Amino acid sequence: MGGGECKSNDYGAAAYWDARYSSGSPASNAAGGGFFDWYQTYPALRPLLRARVPASSRVLMLGCGNSLLSVDMAKDGYEDIVNVDISSVVIEQMREKHNEIPQLRCNMQMDVRDMSLFGDKSFDCVIDKGTLDAMMCADDAPHGASKMLAEVARLLTPHGIYLLITYGAPKERVPLLNQPGCSWSTTLHIMPTPEYQLKMNKGAPQPTMEEVALTEDGQLPPDYVLKDPESHFIFVCQQVNSVRG
């Protein structure tokens, strides 16, 4: 899904992801004892997470897949992480692998478009590493993506953080984020892809994250030029008002 492009697959369907995690594709590494991290790793994201999300926060990981992000956060002191994914296959894999990590004992099969099992204001932070991108490639896009974001807003505590890591530039994501029912104070950070960092640093990756001031209408400054055309956009969206009283 690099560059925000969508394939012909329905990335919002459980059947697609069940097959993916059961197959020999990179995303199925968990079946063989490994992991597959989409986009950025925890070490690259750690400075931002540590600055904005206290270790005592209750964290919801949307579309967790078989990423190491939750594991690395738990090892780094985060106390309460809930992993959800639409694929029952990968959730079972996560349960088996992380049964001994108390911070990760809650792994649940769930469609992010309907998270009614959780009550309002249940989480201090919601982390989304590519899930909104997948929803924008689902058969019901953009309606399904809008439903997911409404659920995220409902689940966040007042002043809670929605951390969105996406290929979507502000012109593509800000209109979604600003839908009715969502009220955020948003900052943007931009990171080159790990592949670009390896190339530029001759095999010694040095994660670089740049904060970029958005214009009044939530867009990139007109003179801003991406170092890496495949860069990841990291939106830190802080809940401004409680969605439900």
Side-chain angles (χ1 to χ4, degrees):
M1 291 182 294
E5 295 180 0
C6 293
K7 309 288 186 183
S8 59
N9 302 305
D10 179 7
Y11 289 114
Y16 170 80
W17 291 108
D18 284 346
R20 185 85 176 261
Y21 287 115
S22 299
S23 72
S25 69
S28 69
N29 279 346
F35 300 88
F36 185 77
D37 250 317
W38 301 98
Y39 298 13
Q40 301 286 345
T41 63
Y42 178 65
L45 297 169
R46 184 182 188 275
L48 182 59
L49 279 166
R50 276 296 184 179
R52 299 301 301 268
V53 183
S56 60
S57 302
R58 190 171 194 229
V59 177
L60 177 63
M61 196 73 63
L62 295 184
C64 63
N66 52 14
S67 168
L68 274 173
L69 183 59
S70 297
V71 177
D72 288 341
M73 288 181 68
K75 289 179 179 177
D76 198 33
Y78 282 90
E79 301 168 5
D80 189 357
I81 303 170
V82 176
N83 290 315
V84 299
D85 198 282
I86 199 170
S87 170
S88 60
V89 172
V90 81
I91 286 296
E92 186 56 35
Q93 292 168 356
M94 293 288 278
R95 286 173 180 163
E96 291 176 4
K97 290 183 176 301
H98 306 316
N99 185 50
E100 301 304 317
I101 305 177
Q103 302 96 315
L104 299 181
R105 287 205 175 142
C106 194
N107 295 289
M108 308 175 68
Q109 190 276 333
M110 186 175 291
D111 188 327
V112 295
R113 290 163 288 201
D114 178 7
M115 295 184 280
S116 52
L117 187 63
F118 299 130
D120 296 357
K121 306 173 189 174
S122 296
F123 295 93
D124 303 299
C125 176
V126 175
I127 298 178
D128 173 352
K129 190 152 66 87
T131 301
L132 182 60
D133 288 5
M135 296 309 304
M136 286 302 291
C137 293
D139 283 351
D140 65 348
H143 179 64
S146 294
K147 289 175 67 176
M148 186 198 86
L149 289 171
E151 282 287 80
V152 169
R154 178 183 69 82
L155 293 177
L156 279 175
T157 57
H159 310 297
I161 296 288
Y162 172 46
L163 190 73
L164 169 64
I165 301 101
T166 172
Y167 275 114
K171 66 180 179 180
E172 299 160 339
R173 294 294 177 255
V174 167
L176 274 172
L177 290 169
N178 290 342
Q179 68 182 39
C182 294
S183 184
W184 319 103
S185 172
T186 302
T187 58
L188 174 67
H189 297 75
I190 297 178
M191 283 194 80
T193 58
E195 295 78 13
Y196 181 87
Q197 293 172 29
L198 280 169
K199 179 181 176 182
M200 291 298 101
N201 294 291
K202 297 179 172 55
Q206 298 175 4
T208 55
M209 184 184 300
E210 177 186 8
E211 184 171 357
V212 178
L214 295 171
T215 62
E216 286 188 8
D217 58 350
Q219 298 304 308
L220 290 174
D223 58 347
Y224 184 80
V225 178
L226 288 172
K227 297 180 181 69
D228 174 11
E230 295 289 303
S231 289
H232 296 130
F233 298 89
I234 304 174
F235 295 88
V236 183
C237 307
Q238 184 168 35
Q239 185 104 285
V240 174
N241 298 309
S242 177
V243 176
R244 296 189 180 185

